[in-house]
Amino acid sequence: MNSTDQAAGSAPVQTEDPRVTAGRVLAMVATHFTTTDPSGVLEPYSLLVCVGAEAYKLSDRSMFIGAAQMSRAALAEAPEAPEGITRGEFSLLLLKAAKACGYDWRSEDSEQARAGNEAAGAPRGRY
């Protein structure tokens, strides 16, 4: 077992459609991008790293409970990132993709995304 895994065992019974779960991961990444350096240019590796991290969180911090499958599904649904797009701008594309997957984020999630885009002048560290 990897020392970073917090839980081991078989995957729990999945009641949510895998495509909706992919949308959930994309919405989580969008939130991260809007709260962490939203005015920074999206680096080529950032989407991959953030999707993996958010899927790991969603799977109770264990690679044994579907994080890899969630990551692959989310990456398959993610939009292409235009060169030079900011993290905040890309988060809006991610939220649209999440909605297209059938994930209906709560109104406070989209409020947080808007707030992050408005606060683009306050960069923080990023993955």
Side-chain angles (χ1 to χ4, degrees):
M1 173 158 67
N2 185 328
S3 63
T4 61
D5 284 340
Q6 303 296 312
S10 60
V13 175
Q14 183 68 287
T15 58
E16 185 172 73
D17 181 310
R19 190 159 183 250
V20 173
T21 302
R24 182 182 303 277
V25 171
L26 294 177
M28 292 169 69
V29 172
T31 298
H32 174 78
F33 284 166
T34 60
T35 58
T36 306
D37 194 17
S39 63
V41 173
L42 182 68
E43 300 292 336
Y45 59 85
S46 294
L47 181 62
L48 177 65
V49 170
C50 289
V51 164
E54 298 301 340
Y56 185 67
K57 284 186 215 173
L58 194 58
S59 66
D60 294 328
R61 300 190 186 284
S62 174
M63 292 303 293
F64 298 106
I65 306 180
Q69 294 87 339
M70 284 184 233
S71 293
R72 282 192 293 275
L75 288 169
E77 298 291 344
E80 290 291 320
E83 190 173 329
I85 194 168
T86 68
R87 293 160 62 94
E89 292 167 337
F90 191 63
S91 71
L92 297 175
L93 298 178
L94 288 171
L95 289 173
K96 287 179 185 176
K99 187 172 183 177
C101 290
Y103 179 67
D104 186 21
W105 60 89
R106 299 181 316 261
S107 61
E108 61 265 20
D109 289 342
S110 54
E111 290 291 328
Q112 185 175 9
R114 276 194 294 282
N117 285 325
E118 291 168 7
R124 291 176 27 193
R126 58 182 157 173
Y127 303 144

